[in-house]
Amino acid sequence: MRIAAIVVAAGSGERFGAAKQFLSLGSSSITAHSVAAARSVASFVIVVVPAEYDGRGEGADVVVEGGATRSASVRSGLAHCAGYDAVVIHDAARPLASSDLFHRVVDALGPDVDGAIPGVAVVDTLKMVSGSLPATVLSTVDRDTVVAVQTPQAFRLSALRTAHASGLNATDDAALLEEIGATVIVVAGETSNRKITTPDDLVWAQTQWELA
Ligand code: C5P
C-alpha cells in the first residue's frame, strides 16, 4: 500500500497565544517531531503551514500553505496525494504520537474499513449542558459509550477525497467520513499523545521528552 501523510501545522495557536507548533521540543520543532513520526509509515510527507511561515520545511517532502480552517488545510495537502492508496493525517500539535500508533491506524485499514482513528477512554464524568458555562446540566453521558479521539487518522484516499468534496469543516477528518456513510473504526490511542494546546501542555511535553 502506498501511503502519504499530511501534517497540519497551519493553525494560529489562538488558545496558546502563538503558533506553538514551531516552538522547540528538545533539539527540533514540535512540527518536525510530528513529521518524523509520520515518516515511519509514509513514503511521502506533506507539511501544511501558515502563509507567513519562513522555516525550512520541518523535514517534510513538500511544504504547502494552509487555509482558514483545519479542514481547509487538510484539503491543501490532499491536492498533493495523487497516486497514493492511503493518507495519514496528523496534527502537528501532537508531537509525542509513537510510530507504533501510526502503524496501528494504517494496519487497521482494509477493503471494508475506510478509516481508522485512535481513541482513548474518557476518565471524567461527562454532562450534556445547555451551552457555554455557566450552564444548566441536561443529562449525564454514559462514558463507556464514548472515546476521546486523537490523530494520526488513516484513510483510504478515495474515501477521504469523497468526504472532503463537500468542502465542509469539522474538527477531525473522521467526522467528514461519517457524513458520507463511510466505515471508520477506532483503535487504541495513547494517553501520552496529548495535543499541545496551552503553555501547560508544552511544559508537560518537555518533561515527557526529557524523561524518554
Ligand atoms: O485548532 P486545532 O486544535 O483543531 O488544531 C489541530 C491542528 O490543525 C494543529 O496542528 C493546527 O496547526 C492545525 N490547523 C491547521 N489549519 C488551520 C487550523 C488548524 O493546519 N486553519
Side-chain angles (χ1 to χ4, degrees), residues 3-7 38 41-42 86-90 102 105-106 152-155:
I3 300 166
I6 301 171
V7 176
V41 286
V87 179
V88 182
I89 300 173
H90 188 47
F102 276 85
V105 290
V106 166
Q153 301 190 345
F155 303 101

Side-chain angles (χ1 to χ4, degrees), residues 2-8 42-49 60-67 72-89 157 160-161 164:
R2 298 193 68 211
I3 300 166
I6 301 171
V7 176
V8 282
S43 54
F44 183 61
V45 182
I46 300 156
V47 67
V48 186
V49 299
D61 299 301
V62 173
V63 179
V64 302
E65 189 179 316
S73 293
V74 170
R75 286 190 276 275
S76 297
L78 206 43
H80 297 262
C81 292
Y84 289 87
D85 302 303
V87 179
V88 182
I89 300 173
L157 176 62
L160 186 63
R161 278 200 165 139
H164 271 283

